[in-house]
């Protein structure tokens, strides 16, 4: 695990920002080489210390470990600011080696929101960032008129079916963003000034510069990928709207046009899986087996589940995890202390001290999560011989995509191979629509959602979306890409983007978009290498050493090469391609088109109340 850079300690970094920014002597390639070497030496030394403190805090939460974690975050920020500012000195130096140039770029992109060297700017940026995140964390909504926490409202959105209560929760939670609006405007001004000092036109351009292409080329790439997947999303949207209309009636959900956002089972309409019981037609909802029930019947406990997940990777020829993995991981929730249960994968020493942190329960969802998290661990171990600045995925979408694509491989055939499912009980093709529909509701809506979040921010950051149009732009983009509308009128008195943590938390979102696409491309490539001839969604490449060798060649490169080169090691192509997702869901899409016959699909020409 690498230490994430936090803005909470930018004040402490000021002592570095001024002197480095003020250096004017023309630097040389040799100085750049020496600078990078020092950055890697100091970063590597800090990394293990920071990771161990972070692990202790996550698995043993007390006031003292919180203090330690905050302190190490401050120290990490100091280093990141120091080396980002220093790297900017070499922006226009001719004759840099490709390796040094690449590493300088990585150093400049370690900070999400850069502060300029202006006195007081870093303190103000830190204060604003902290205040927005605190506002979000303390945010409350209402349910049946009662004040309710954000986490509870999120869960209720997936189970409540009364449209008036759904509207109440949606509107009340989105009010959490209102107090952030002025802060967000000021934050953009400060961060853009910092990005310009690093040589970028604005902060959004700095984010897009991390993808081995000119920043102006990255947005068109995302648009191209989204366009490839859009026909599938449109078919799913049309079908889902028809089912919601049948349940709620024309007064709540029209047969045509966009879908009311709060009816989709998720506060942001980014995942529709929780309304599966509404949209699944009779006979298509049964997938023929229940992984959780199979695990219980076969006597699996959490550790045995993890060993099964490890077995998938070792079946491909990858080396087993070290014994310390099982000795040091948090696989189940310990008694008598507070811990962070959110699943995560850790690499504490950049060598082989690999761990997962989970509060595992014996169910199908956690079985999938285990396969996903172990993907991070095997990735971390594969690239551990790379220099410090290359100890990462080929781009920020790769790490998530590796775990996701292996999790796609939990097919009936795989369950038979590991003895969980009897071969005689493998469901036939008649069950596939239920399985694919459930997966599509989870994965497909995330494509337009993950696209529009940064689309909105890029417009804000480059000034094409002025503060007077923040909310209108957000709502317009949601209509354009998702085909949804809010359940109540909105205006510029609102700040709906602030109701999603990644906006006040300043987490770039393109990584999630890329992972959503790449996971299917990786899966399709693995199945082709394995010689799979059947429907893509039923493929298992468990036990295929050829696939494992190609996979490891991609993983061990880390961030050392431009991601197209690394992608080609496994897929044979340098291009990210959304058509693999279409191939995976092809049987479902054909079925959806049949179901949608006679319907007026799409949502063009829709109007939004209040804007």
């Amino acid at each position: 695990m690498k230490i994430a850079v936090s803005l909470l300690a930018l004040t402490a970094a000021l002592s570095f920002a001024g002197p480095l920014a003020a250096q004017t002597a023309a630097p040389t390639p040799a100085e750049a080489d020496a600078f990078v070497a020092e950055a890697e030496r100091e970063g590597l030394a800090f990394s293990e210390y920071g990771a161990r403190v972070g692990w202790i805090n996550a698995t043993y939460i007390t006031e003292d470990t919180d203090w330690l974690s905050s302190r190490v975050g401050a120290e990490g920020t100091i280093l990141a600011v120091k080396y980002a500012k220093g790297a900017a000195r070499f922006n226009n130096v001719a004759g840099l080696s490709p390796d040094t140039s690449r590493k300088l770029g990585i150093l400049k992109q370690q900070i999400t929101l850069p502060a300029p060297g202006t006195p007081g700017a870093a303190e103000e940026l830190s204060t604003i960032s902290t205040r927005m995140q605190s506002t979000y964390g303390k945010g409350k909504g209402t349910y049946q008129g009662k004040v309710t926490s954000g986490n509870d409202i999120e869960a209720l959105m997936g189970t409540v079916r009364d449209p008036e209560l759904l509207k109440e929760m949606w509107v009340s939670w989105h009010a959490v963003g209102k107090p952030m609006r002025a802060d967000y405007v000021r934050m953009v001004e400060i961060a853009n000034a910092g990005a310009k000092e690093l040589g970028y036109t604005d902060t959004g351009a700095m984010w897009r510069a991390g993808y081995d292409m000119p920043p102006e080329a990255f947005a068109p790439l995302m648009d191209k990928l989204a366009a490839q997947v859009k026909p599938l999303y449109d078919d799913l949207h049309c079908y889902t709207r028809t089912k919601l209309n049948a349940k709620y009636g024309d007064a709540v959900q029209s047969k045509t046009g966009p879908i009311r956002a709060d009816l989709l089972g998720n506060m942001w309409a980014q995942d529709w899986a929780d309304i599966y019981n509404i949209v699944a037609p009779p006979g298509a909802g049964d997938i023929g087996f229940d992984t959780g029930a199979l695990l219980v019947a076969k006597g699996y406990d959490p550790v045995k589940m993890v060993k099964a997940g490890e077995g998938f990777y070792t079946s491909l020829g990858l080396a087993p995890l070290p014994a310390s993995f099982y000795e040091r991981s948090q696989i189940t929730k310990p008694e008598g202390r507070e811990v962070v249960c959110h699943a995560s994968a850790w690499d504490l020493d950049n060598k082989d001290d690999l761990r997962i942190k989970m509060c595992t329960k014996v169910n199908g969802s956690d079985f999938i999560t285990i396969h996903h998290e172990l993907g991070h661990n095997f990735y971390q171990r594969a690239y551990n011989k790379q220099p410090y600045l290359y100890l990462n995925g080929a781009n920020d979408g790769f790490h998530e995509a590796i775990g996701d694509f292996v999790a796609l491989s939990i097919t009936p055939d795989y369950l038979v191979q590991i003895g969980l499912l009897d071969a005689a009980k493998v469901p036939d093709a008649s069950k596939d629509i239920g399985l694919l529909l459930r997966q599509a509701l989870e994965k497909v809506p995330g494509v337009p959602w993950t696209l529009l979040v940064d689309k909105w921010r890029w417009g804000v950051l480059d000034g094409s979306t002025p503060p007077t149009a923040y909310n209108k732009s957000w709502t317009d983009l949601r209509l354009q890409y998702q085909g949804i509308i809010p359940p109540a009128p909105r205006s510029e008195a609102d700040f709906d983007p602030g109701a999603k943590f990644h906006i006040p938390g300043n987490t770039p979102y393109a990584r999630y978009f890329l992972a959503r696409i790449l996971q299917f491309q990786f899966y399709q490539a693995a199945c082709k290498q394995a010689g799979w001839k059947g429907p893509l969604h039923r493929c298992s490449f468990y036990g295929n050493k050829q696939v494992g060798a190609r996979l490891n060649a991609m993983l061990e490169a880390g961030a050392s090469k431009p991601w197209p080169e690394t992608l080609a090691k496994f897929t044979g192509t340098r291009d990210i391609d959304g058509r693999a997702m279409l191939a995976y869901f092809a049987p479902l899409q054909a079925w959806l088109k049949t179901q949608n016959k006679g319907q007026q699909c799409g949502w063009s020409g829709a109007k939004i109340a209040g804007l």
Side-chain angles (χ1 to χ4, degrees):
M1 176 184 177
K2 285 206 163 186
I3 301 303
V5 174
S6 167
L7 283 170
L8 299 180
L10 277 175
T11 301
L14 280 175
S15 61
F16 293 98
L20 281 168
Q23 295 179 19
T24 57
T28 66
E31 289 175 326
D33 294 341
F35 174 82
V36 166
E38 175 62 16
E40 292 204 290
R41 184 199 63 76
E42 194 168 4
L44 183 63
F46 176 81
S47 178
E48 182 175 356
Y49 155 67
R52 292 191 184 279
V53 170
W55 176 265
I56 292 168
N57 180 232
T59 60
Y60 203 104
I61 302 172
T62 68
E63 289 185 8
D64 294 329
T65 62
D66 279 348
W67 185 90
L68 288 169
S69 184
S70 178
R71 177 66 176 267
V72 82
E75 294 172 11
T77 298
I78 289 172
L79 285 179
V81 172
K82 170 184 175 181
Y83 285 112
K85 295 285 188 179
R89 287 186 62 228
F90 303 97
N91 282 352
N92 299 311
V93 175
L96 295 176
S97 71
D99 184 65
T100 293
S101 181
R102 183 170 184 79
K103 288 177 178 177
L104 288 170
I106 291 171
L107 285 169
K108 287 192 296 180
Q109 291 149 13
Q110 288 190 116
I111 304 172
T112 302
L113 293 179
T118 309
E123 297 102 319
E124 185 179 3
L125 188 58
S126 177
T127 298
I128 288 172
S129 177
T130 301
R131 185 164 56 229
M132 287 196 302
Q133 292 188 55
S134 178
T135 299
Y136 185 94
K138 295 174 182 177
K140 299 285 191 297
T142 64
Y143 174 67
Q144 295 182 327
K146 298 178 182 178
V147 176
T148 307
S149 72
N151 284 341
D152 288 341
I153 281 185
E154 285 181 41
L156 286 165
M157 290 290 289
T159 58
V160 171
R161 300 296 182 241
D162 183 325
E164 286 304 310
L165 292 176
L166 289 168
K167 178 180 177 180
E168 176 197 357
M169 289 189 288
W170 192 99
V171 171
S172 64
W173 175 252
H174 278 73
V176 73
K178 287 184 179 182
M180 304 176 192
R181 188 186 183 94
D183 275 344
Y184 204 86
V185 173
R186 180 59 181 150
M187 181 202 74
V188 168
E189 294 173 351
I190 299 171
N192 276 344
K196 287 175 182 176
E197 286 190 3
L198 294 177
Y200 302 102
T201 57
D202 62 81
T203 307
M206 185 185 78
W207 292 0
R208 296 191 299 277
Y211 294 98
D212 297 307
M213 62 180 66
E216 60 272 16
F218 184 63
L221 172 63
M222 292 181 70
D223 289 336
K224 173 187 173 183
L225 295 170
Q228 288 179 321
V229 178
K230 190 176 187 299
L232 172 60
Y233 179 76
D234 289 353
D235 289 336
L236 184 66
H237 180 281
C238 189
Y239 171 79
T240 302
R241 183 183 60 198
T242 300
K243 291 296 181 178
L244 291 173
N245 171 262
K247 178 170 179 62
Y248 293 113
D250 293 344
V252 174
Q253 175 58 58
S254 170
K255 291 185 179 69
T256 61
I259 297 174
R260 208 176 100 171
D262 56 328
L263 303 180
L264 289 163
N266 177 272
M267 184 63 76
W268 307 280
Q270 68 185 73
D271 178 340
W272 305 350
D274 281 341
I275 62 165
Y276 180 73
N277 61 347
I278 296 177
V279 304
D286 178 16
I287 65 172
F289 66 94
D290 183 325
T291 303
L294 294 173
L295 291 166
V296 172
K298 296 291 185 178
Y300 274 64
D301 60 20
V303 172
K304 189 174 181 181
M305 289 167 64
V306 175
K307 287 186 177 293
E310 180 190 12
F312 189 102
Y313 293 90
T314 58
S315 81
L316 303 179
L318 305 182
L321 294 168
S324 61
F325 173 87
Y326 289 97
E327 296 165 0
R328 300 171 185 174
S329 287
Q330 175 189 292
I331 294 175
T332 57
K333 188 178 188 303
E335 296 291 335
R337 69 177 193 255
E338 294 296 324
V339 301
V340 176
C341 280
H342 182 77
S344 56
W346 295 63
D347 175 8
L348 274 74
D349 64 356
N350 298 308
K351 296 176 184 174
D352 58 8
D353 192 350
L354 305 168
R355 310 179 191 184
I356 59 169
K357 176 184 59 58
M358 291 183 62
C359 298
T360 312
K361 299 183 183 302
V362 181
N363 58 44
S365 176
D366 279 7
F367 193 60
I368 291 172
T369 300
I370 285 167
H371 286 69
H372 173 92
E373 296 302 335
L374 291 181
H376 291 298
N377 286 141
F378 278 92
Y379 204 168
Q380 290 160 339
R381 205 254 310 274
Y383 58 57
N384 67 8
K385 293 181 175 60
Q386 293 289 346
Y388 174 71
L389 287 172
Y390 295 156
L391 297 176
N392 213 332
N395 66 38
D396 57 9
F398 270 61
H399 242 299
E400 292 299 325
I402 294 300
D404 285 342
F405 114 83
V406 171
L408 285 173
S409 309
I410 303 177
T411 62
D413 188 49
Y414 166 57
L415 297 179
V416 169
Q417 289 176 287
I418 64 173
L420 264 179
L421 180 65
D422 293 338
K425 295 182 179 179
V426 172
D428 60 32
S430 67
K431 304 294 185 183
D432 284 6
I433 294 302
L435 173 63
L436 287 170
L437 179 59
R438 186 178 297 179
Q439 287 183 303
L441 290 168
E442 175 193 348
K443 295 194 177 279
V444 177
V447 174
W449 164 254
T450 54
L451 176 70
L452 74 87
V453 172
D454 273 356
K455 281 276 189 180
W456 179 82
R457 278 193 289 208
W458 296 342
V460 167
L461 291 166
D462 70 15
S464 60
T465 299
T468 54
Y470 275 7
N471 218 62
K472 182 179 188 304
S473 174
W474 177 261
T475 310
D476 286 351
L477 286 168
R478 300 203 72 186
L479 175 62
Q480 177 183 349
Y481 288 105
Q482 290 183 289
I484 66 170
I485 53 173
R490 315 307 290 160
S491 75
E492 289 306 321
D494 301 299
F495 185 56
D496 291 344
K500 178 62 179 176
F501 171 75
H502 299 75
I503 299 297
N506 293 301
T507 304
Y509 223 68
R511 67 191 65 176
Y512 304 113
F513 175 84
L514 295 174
R516 189 74 49 154
I517 302 295
L518 281 168
Q519 63 183 281
F520 290 95
Q521 190 171 358
F522 291 158
Y523 183 74
Q524 184 182 54
C527 293
K528 286 182 178 178
Q529 293 165 28
W532 181 260
K533 301 299 183 185
L536 183 57
H537 63 276
R538 281 182 168 252
C539 163
S540 171
F541 49 86
Y542 176 80
N544 191 295
K545 301 295 194 297
Q546 179 187 351
V547 171
R550 291 276 295 270
L551 175 62
N552 195 61
M554 177 172 69
L555 301 183
E556 66 184 6
S560 65
K561 302 291 183 183
W563 64 259
E565 292 184 29
T566 306
L567 178 66
K569 287 179 181 292
F570 188 61
T571 66
T573 176
R574 295 169 55 90
D575 298 321
I576 299 181
D577 195 336
R579 289 175 295 180
M581 178 183 274
L582 297 182
Y584 184 92
F585 287 112
L588 175 68
Q589 189 172 13
W591 180 85
L592 288 172
K593 288 185 180 298
T594 300
Q595 302 300 310
N596 291 337
K597 284 183 178 178
Q599 300 296 326
Q600 184 180 328
C601 295
W603 56 86
S604 61
K607 302 294 183 183
I608 304 169
L611 286 172

